[in-house]
Structure formats: C-alpha cells, structure tokens
Amino acid sequence: MSVDQALAKILDTVVPVATVETVPLLQSLGRVIAIDKVAAINVPPCDNSAMDGYAIRLDDLEPLNELLIAQRIPAGQMGKPLKVGTAARIFTGAAIPPGADSVVMQEDTETRGEVVRVDRSEVKLGQHIRPMGQDIAKGSVVVGCGKRIQPQEIGLLASIGVTEVEVFTRLKVAVLSTGDELVEPGQSLASGQIYNSNRYTLTAFLIALGCEVIDGGIVEDDFQTTCDQLQSLSAQADVIISSGGVSVGEEDHVKAAVESLGQLGLWKLNIKPGKPLAFGAVGSTPFFGLPGNPSSVFVTFCLLARPYLLRKQGQSDVAPVMTTATAQFDWHQRGSRQEYLRAFVSVDEGVASVCLYDNQSSGVLASTSWANALMVLPPNTTITRGARVDVLLLSGLVGG
C-alpha cells in the first residue's frame, strides 16, 4: 500500500476526542481549541496613531503650512476635538482626536515654540492612522475550533481580553517497546544488547504534541506476554504505539497479538524506511505498530502516526507542508518503494538547496538529528544534481 493510501485509510478511522475542559490562557499552549473564540471588542478599540508626530486636519494645510500645537495626547489618554487650524502632539498608540484625519510623523515636521510647520505636499489623507478594528473586528472569530494554540494565538487571545480557553482534553497514549535485546539507559549493557532509544523518541514526540504518555515498558519477545501487556494498556489509553515486533521473524509477536485481541487494518507499506508498519485496534483502542529501527520509527511516526494523533486531538489541519529545493547530489538507485531520505535544506540568496546524509540506513538515528528535512523520492526515480525535488521540512513534522 502506498503512503498516501495508507494515510487516507488511517485518517478515515479517526474518532476525535469529544470531551472539553477549560484552562487558563497561559496553560493552553499546544492544546487544540474546542470552541470558536469570538472577539467581544474591536482591536484597536479606536482609531490610533501609528507614529509619534502630529494629528492634523488635512484641509487646514490648504491655506496654511503652520499649525498651532493645541494639545498633547500620550498613549492611553483621549484628546479633545481638534479645532480648526490646530495640531495635536500625538504618540504611537494614542487615540486620534475627533476631527483629525491624518498624522504627520515628527521627522517630517519643524517646530518653533507652539507652532508646527508641515509640508502639505508630503501629507496624504489618513496616513499613519490605524483604524478601529484594523487588527480584529468585533464579532469576528479570532481563533477557530480545531486550531492548535501556539504562542501567537496566546497573544491574539490576550489582545481581546480572554483569560480562559475551552480546549479538547489531552490524549492518553501508551508507548511500549518489544525486544529482548533492549535495555533502558542507565543500565549496564550485556553482550548483544542495545539501549532503548525508540521509547525516548516516541515519548518526546508525544509530549511535544501535548499528549499524556503512559509508559508500557519493554515487552519481552513472547506472544502471551505481548498479549497481556497490550490488553492492559488498551484499558488505560486512547491510543497505543509500539516499536518493533511487527515484521515476520519468529520472535516478532506484535502482529499476531493484535490480530488475536482485535483487528489489523493494514500491514506493510510501500515506504523506506519503515515497510513493516501495522495499524489496527486492540479491542476498541487504536494501535500503531511501528518498526524497530530508530530512523524507521522517526519517519513513520512523522508521516502516519502524527497526523492521526493531530486529527484525534481535534486539530483540523494535519497535512505537512511540501516544498521544493535544488538537489546537490546525484541519486542513481532506482528503488521500488517511496523513500524519505534524511536531508538538509539551506537557502542562499533566496534559492533553497538540499543535500543528503551520507548513510541512509534505517538504523542510523544520527541522521535524524543532522537533518532538517525529509526528501521525498518516488518509486523508480533517479535524481541528477540540479533537479528540483520535493522536501518536507522537519519544523513542520516535529512538535505541536
């Protein structure tokens, strides 16, 4: 099955979380908003000055180029109606006084005592005035349902006076690793053992997505033990994600365990790295069985598990952004699977170029730290230096 077909099939099964909770604004970062936030005010609440300068009535400059400075309006105060033939000394953010229709910045004026001199030819009607509601109009939706709250949304909601936000509750995601060879960091390694990096990669991904992580530990290569742990986790979690044990080896028990406890919706994808990927359910709990190799875990989580989790959290937009760059390499290996090569994109004089990590093995986790992108290589494709290629920036695949 192709990656696009698999993702469509996976997303078709999503049942988004329905429960909602209210949290303080500063605690809503990374959460998905559950109810449209509508502005109860205009921002700015009145016409205000975009510059330090002088508020004037443009028609006054027709017979005159000198105006009496009749008032001073700092930010946070309201001025008096502007009288004919006068100007108001005004500061950035201050309310435009009634009658004024333009602001001349102070650099374009000359002052002599209580008089300001203005060149009429340099002034345009309405210049340097930010109209009421220019940023946000009263009654408009400021942040819509299904939007993940980022720092800019925090500031935006604060600008309309919001102190609390209704968000979807956090997903509980269980993470387990399979393999007798795995050891947790901090323990001694015996011959033939390796440290369990996948658990840490997946847990970090999930924390960045705002999920509550349930640690399913390391499960030994035993069918019944695998069944028991999956069944236990299915009662606690909204989603289960495992790494390893989904291939066809004699010690790979995850696939068989899932089939005995629930159902397997798909298995094996036309993707590299990450061909042995399973998706289904343990009982009624959705299940992802990711490969065991660390780069395969990284790629398949980004491309398949992450969009599923985003959609399940209630987020409306889950598609990564594809862009293009100029290849700084030749690639002559025609593969039958769609490949996602760990790559680095740089920009020089506005032109994006991409180079590849020199070892694309699925066991090389260092490639994911070096990379800032995944280059998409379609099946049966070769690349020559200078060709335009598709890339997915990791900044859009990692984090919330």
Side-chain angles (χ1 to χ4, degrees):
M1 186 180 293
S2 73
V3 176
D4 289 343
Q5 288 174 322
L7 181 58
K9 187 172 182 178
I10 288 170
L11 291 180
D12 279 346
T13 70
V14 176
V15 178
V17 63
T19 52
V20 176
E21 62 181 342
T22 301
V23 299
L25 178 60
L26 284 176
Q27 294 179 23
S28 69
L29 184 65
R31 306 292 293 275
V32 178
I33 196 160
I35 299 174
D36 289 349
K37 276 295 182 185
V38 176
I41 61 171
N42 289 302
V43 179
C46 61
D47 294 354
N48 69 59
S49 178
M51 295 284 179
D52 289 348
Y54 295 88
I56 65 169
R57 180 185 289 104
L58 187 58
D59 285 346
D60 286 346
L61 296 182
E62 293 296 341
L64 304 169
N65 64 358
E66 291 186 347
L67 302 171
L68 177 66
I69 304 171
Q71 56 180 308
R72 183 177 185 275
I73 311 173
Q77 296 184 18
M78 295 297 295
K80 299 175 182 178
L82 194 67
K83 294 181 179 179
V84 174
T86 69
R89 179 72 169 111
I90 198 166
F91 297 88
T92 303
I96 301 296
D101 56 23
S102 305
V103 170
V104 186
M105 61 181 179
Q106 61 189 29
E107 294 90 337
D108 293 338
T109 65
E110 296 177 11
T111 57
R112 187 179 70 254
E114 297 300 315
V115 173
V116 59
R117 185 180 183 88
V118 181
D119 184 348
R120 170 67 179 84
S121 65
E122 297 297 323
V123 184
K124 295 181 180 179
L125 182 67
Q127 71 176 24
H128 305 316
I129 292 178
R130 296 184 291 214
M132 178 179 67
Q134 178 189 56
D135 187 6
I136 301 168
K138 182 178 180 180
S140 65
V141 175
V142 179
V143 183
C145 176
K147 175 76 172 177
R148 183 175 296 274
I149 298 173
Q150 301 179 79
Q152 53 267 42
E153 279 76 44
I154 297 286
L156 193 60
L157 291 169
S159 76
I160 60 169
V162 168
T163 59
E164 294 182 328
V165 185
E166 296 83 7
V167 295
F168 292 113
T169 53
R170 296 183 187 276
L171 286 183
K172 295 181 179 180
V173 183
V175 174
L176 72 152
S177 306
T178 66
D180 293 338
E181 78 280 11
L182 298 179
V183 174
E184 288 296 324
Q187 300 178 1
S188 298
L189 282 178
S191 179
Q193 293 182 319
I194 59 173
Y195 285 122
N196 181 13
S197 64
N198 287 343
R199 171 186 169 230
Y200 287 82
T201 299
L202 290 172
T203 299
F205 267 130
L206 294 168
I207 290 173
L209 289 179
C211 299
E212 181 181 332
V213 182
I214 300 171
D215 181 14
I218 298 173
V219 180
E220 62 185 87
D221 290 324
D222 175 78
F223 175 75
Q224 191 56 51
T225 303
T226 303
C227 287
D228 292 344
Q229 183 65 327
L230 286 174
Q231 198 159 28
S232 172
L233 293 174
S234 70
Q236 306 173 52
D238 298 309
V239 181
I240 301 171
I241 300 179
S242 74
S243 62
V246 291
S247 194
V248 293
E250 294 179 4
E251 297 301 325
D252 293 322
H253 301 290
V254 172
K255 176 177 178 288
V258 172
E259 289 177 318
S260 72
L261 297 171
Q263 59 180 334
L264 203 60
L266 61 86
W267 182 56
K268 289 189 178 181
L269 301 184
N270 191 35
I271 183 175
K272 184 179 181 180
K275 179 180 177 181
L277 179 140
F279 174 74
V282 177
S284 61
T285 303
F287 168 82
F288 279 92
L290 305 185
N293 283 316
S295 285
S296 299
V297 166
F298 183 89
V299 170
T300 53
F301 182 92
C302 286
L303 298 178
L304 296 159
R306 183 178 185 273
Y308 176 91
L309 294 171
L310 293 177
R311 181 68 58 81
K312 193 165 182 65
Q313 287 177 318
Q315 185 168 327
S316 52
D317 182 13
V318 302
V321 177
M322 184 92 74
T323 187
T324 61
T326 301
Q328 298 299 312
F329 58 88
D330 294 311
W331 186 273
H332 301 303
Q333 306 168 38
R334 289 181 181 270
S336 60
R337 291 181 279 167
Q338 180 149 301
E339 299 190 43
Y340 293 86
L341 305 173
R342 275 75 74 206
F344 192 91
V345 175
S346 56
V347 179
D348 183 24
E349 296 183 351
V351 178
S353 299
V354 59
C355 56
L356 301 180
Y357 195 74
D358 58 4
N359 188 338
Q360 292 290 328
S361 167
S362 60
V364 180
L365 186 58
S367 65
T368 65
S369 178
W370 174 88
N372 67 0
L374 297 175
M375 197 211 84
V376 184
L377 183 68
N380 303 307
T381 300
T382 60
I383 303 294
T384 56
R385 183 182 296 268
R388 295 297 287 179
V389 295
D390 291 331
V391 293
L392 295 167
L393 298 180
L394 291 186
S395 58
L397 292 171
V398 177

